[in-house]
Amino acid sequence: MRISFAAAEVAPYAKVGGLADVVGSLPQALAALGHEVSVYLPLHRSIDVVKFAIPAKSARTHSVPYGAAHARIAYPEITRDGVRFVFVRSFRIGRDKVYGYADDAKRYALFCRAVLADLEETKPDVIHAHDWHAALLVQLAARSRKLPGSATVFTIHNLAYQGRTSADVLRLVGLPRSRLAVEGRDEANPMARAIATADIVSTVSERYAEEILTPEFGERLEGLLRDRRDDLWGITNGIDTTFFDPSRDPHIAAHYTADDQSGKAVCKAALQTETGLTVQPSAPVFGVIGRLVEQKGVDLLTAVAPWLLDKGGQLVVLGAGDPTYEQRWRELAQKMKGRLALTLGFDAALAQRIYAGSDMFLMPSRFEPCGLGQLISLRYGTVPVVRAVGGLANTVRDIDGDARGNGFSFTKYEAAGFADAIERALHRYRAGGQPWLALRTRAMREDHSWKASARRYVEMYGAAAKARRAA
Ligand code: ADP
């Protein structure tokens, strides 16, 4: 099949969170299965065109209708690991940051219109749009007379961000204003439009696919999602196991494998030294990496942190996000020097060293479409302690309920439950010996590569093509 992806962020070119990891690794897995994949992303100003040899000058261009005028778009591209990456270049779209501007809705609407212009020439079998930034592409493609044979798939990576904006944006890209029931007056909801229009809708874990049908997780789109229930798929994300690999990761102090984990202790000591923690081999080190936003359970983390440090734990936190949460962590870190190491900001290399050097990884999310932190942790033999919600529930099995478990979990969103899970983890860690080693080994041996999930995506594309033919 010929499959075209569109997304706002793609690793390693531009990354804010898990979306970039997925769109940066699933295409290669599909290419390995014999499919022809291209990936469209904006040419953000932060993308290093020299390092990635992106031929900005020799690109083809299209003149794309945009409101009353036209926008000139260039499409420089490179091929890597058998996948074509097409960078959509326009001064109206490219900025230093991927998100966070008042006109994000317009930037991404133009991105969608620009991708459509190119796809109308290549006419892929499947157009696969990711999250709200690429959502209007689904409706544009469905209405295009030049793309009658292209099936559309829309994947929800996070239902909480829908891109709701003024309906003016529709006029800019030539879409009708006719409203969906969930849209307010003069409002456009790109994510809702893609859910209503795509041949197939999917999300990034089986559990989240069920949860979003309920008011608790549905973000007010549960009714619309229930209407599409028969076309809604849940496929759990994989990770790039070549990139996330403790036996060859260039960023970590020592390499190790499931068979010989001695290097992990070296990574731990190096992490303690680097982040200013007391260098103590026996102290349990807990890692936290993620956006500091309500979704990630930051209030539970800050509530249990003092208790955890009193119990002799050490905490390494890397994240950026909500200024109120950042300030709260700053204050805690001030008080707990030597036991709590805080890095505010985005640092992919430090993230690898935390995954490798920690004993346990904390992820008490309020909701979690899939979550990649726990998968990367497992790969590095770092035992996850998570809330059993969304993709975390699909990928982490509590060892206290399952002898073949790979971590610890709790159900209710409460500090007491989280503390209890940590306490059980601490108990097993301190008991140490063969059982702890066996737990780590099992975690490291699990297969969280794209192998199985990529096949499910292919099945889903088949269902999308069939739905398109029927339509
Ligand atoms: P989300 O996509 O909701 O942010 P995920 O767990 O799905 O959460 O994916 C987050 C990805 O981004 C992981 O690869 C994680 O390691 C990485 N990440 C998150 N915050 C940071 C940070 N501050 N520095 C480096 N990597 C980060």
Side-chain angles (χ1 to χ4, degrees):
M1 268 182 286
R2 289 165 56 243
I3 305 151
S4 289
F5 278 50
E9 40 172 310
V10 181
Y13 311 106
K15 169 166 163 176
V16 178
L19 171 62
D21 288 324
V22 173
V23 185
S25 54
L26 170 60
Q28 288 83 334
L30 293 167
L33 292 175
H35 302 284
E36 203 181 301
V37 192
S38 55
V39 178
Y40 287 79
L41 71 156
L43 185 61
H44 301 290
R45 276 207 295 251
S46 56
I47 294 178
D48 191 335
V49 290
V50 176
K51 178 174 158 194
F52 294 115
I54 299 167
K57 291 227 170 66
S58 63
R60 66 181 179 286
T61 60
H62 288 303
S63 175
V64 170
Y66 187 58
H70 277 72
R72 191 152 199 85
I73 311 284
Y75 301 81
E77 63 173 76
I78 57 176
T79 298
R80 217 169 146 223
D81 305 328
V83 176
R84 267 176 74 221
F85 293 91
V86 184
F87 298 86
V88 175
R89 195 182 86 203
S90 157
F91 72 91
R92 289 189 174 87
I93 303 173
R95 303 273 168 81
D96 293 332
K97 288 189 295 174
V98 177
Y99 317 113
Y101 300 96
D103 61 348
D104 278 355
K106 287 186 186 157
R107 290 171 66 210
Y108 282 106
L110 176 58
F111 170 66
C112 291
R113 184 63 192 79
V115 175
L116 177 79
D118 214 42
L119 296 184
E120 283 181 335
E121 293 192 347
T122 57
K123 303 187 194 308
D125 300 314
V126 178
I127 297 173
H128 189 170
H130 297 263
D131 264 356
W132 79 259
H133 331 95
L136 290 181
L137 174 61
V138 173
Q139 212 183 2
L140 286 166
R143 293 173 57 82
S144 166
R145 262 184 248 116
K146 295 183 182 158
L147 292 171
S150 299
T152 54
V153 172
F154 180 65
T155 296
I156 302 164
H157 294 260
N158 195 332
L159 193 61
Y161 305 97
Q162 300 172 7
R164 287 160 65 180
T165 185
S166 152
D168 292 344
V169 88
L170 302 171
R171 185 185 48 83
L172 282 177
V173 294
L175 284 172
R177 279 178 84 107
S178 46
R179 275 200 296 143
L180 292 176
V182 292
E183 288 174 322
R185 259 187 71 135
D186 298 323
E187 183 194 65
N189 184 329
M191 183 169 268
R193 283 173 178 252
I195 292 170
T197 315
D199 291 309
I200 295 282
V201 177
S202 84
T203 188
V204 287
S205 69
E206 287 84 354
R207 176 69 78 93
Y208 193 60
E210 290 163 18
E211 288 171 345
I212 56 178
L213 302 177
T214 67
E216 188 186 352
F217 296 98
E219 305 282 350
R220 307 200 314 188
L221 299 188
E222 62 273 11
L224 179 59
L225 286 158
R226 279 201 297 266
D227 290 344
R228 298 296 324 261
R229 190 181 221 146
D230 291 343
D231 304 310
L232 177 63
W233 290 52
I235 304 177
T236 300
N237 285 335
I239 53 170
D240 179 344
T241 46
T242 325
F243 182 78
F244 295 111
D245 181 357
S247 76
R248 52 201 265 184
D249 186 332
H251 299 291
I252 63 179
H255 292 150
Y256 57 95
T257 61
D259 293 328
D260 176 4
Q261 297 175 26
S262 50
K264 189 159 172 68
V266 180
C267 292
K268 176 170 172 175
L271 179 66
Q272 288 173 318
T273 307
E274 173 183 2
T275 58
L277 294 172
T278 312
V279 180
Q280 200 183 340
S282 65
V285 173
F286 292 85
V288 174
I289 301 170
R291 293 177 296 117
L292 299 181
V293 296
E294 194 185 298
Q295 176 198 338
K296 298 293 173 182
V298 188
D299 45 351
L300 290 195
L301 279 166
T302 45
V304 304
W307 166 85
L308 170 61
L309 301 174
D310 274 351
K311 291 228 139 206
Q314 295 185 340
L315 199 50
V316 188
V317 180
L318 167 63
D322 190 326
T324 338
Y325 287 133
E326 290 195 356
Q327 186 52 29
R328 211 184 293 171
W329 276 110
R330 252 187 230 111
E331 286 160 16
L332 266 177
Q334 272 296 326
K335 280 191 240 158
M336 314 278 183
K337 281 212 172 96
R339 291 185 288 164
L340 167 56
L342 174 68
T343 306
L344 293 174
F346 192 92
D347 186 337
L350 174 59
Q352 315 277 94
R353 293 195 288 276
I354 297 175
Y355 286 121
S358 303
D359 296 299
M360 283 160 276
F361 189 78
L362 303 178
M363 213 160 157
S365 303
R366 225 177 240 285
F367 66 94
E368 195 57 77
C370 178
L372 297 178
Q374 83 281 15
L375 301 182
I376 305 170
S377 297
L378 289 164
R379 177 92 176 130
Y380 282 78
T382 298
V383 178
V385 182
V386 307
R387 175 157 180 243
V389 69
L392 294 169
N394 283 126
T395 54
V396 177
R397 302 175 312 278
D398 195 312
I399 187 156
D400 283 327
D402 175 351
R404 305 282 308 155
N406 58 3
F408 300 87
S409 64
F410 65 103
T411 308
K412 245 184 154 177
Y413 190 81
E414 281 173 2
F418 185 31
D420 173 69
I422 293 175
E423 182 126 51
R424 290 187 291 112
L426 272 174
H427 179 73
R428 292 221 184 215
Y429 169 82
R430 291 208 163 106
Q434 188 51 36
W436 184 258
L437 186 66
L439 169 58
R440 256 178 26 185
T441 307
R442 201 156 51 240
M444 289 188 75
R445 289 230 165 97
E446 282 184 351
D447 183 2
H448 292 287
S449 73
W450 276 107
K451 221 181 280 162
S453 293
R455 288 187 195 285
R456 290 270 294 149
Y457 270 96
V458 173
E459 248 179 78
M460 180 174 76
Y461 295 145
K466 196 167 154 206
R468 171 50 59 123
R469 280 195 298 274

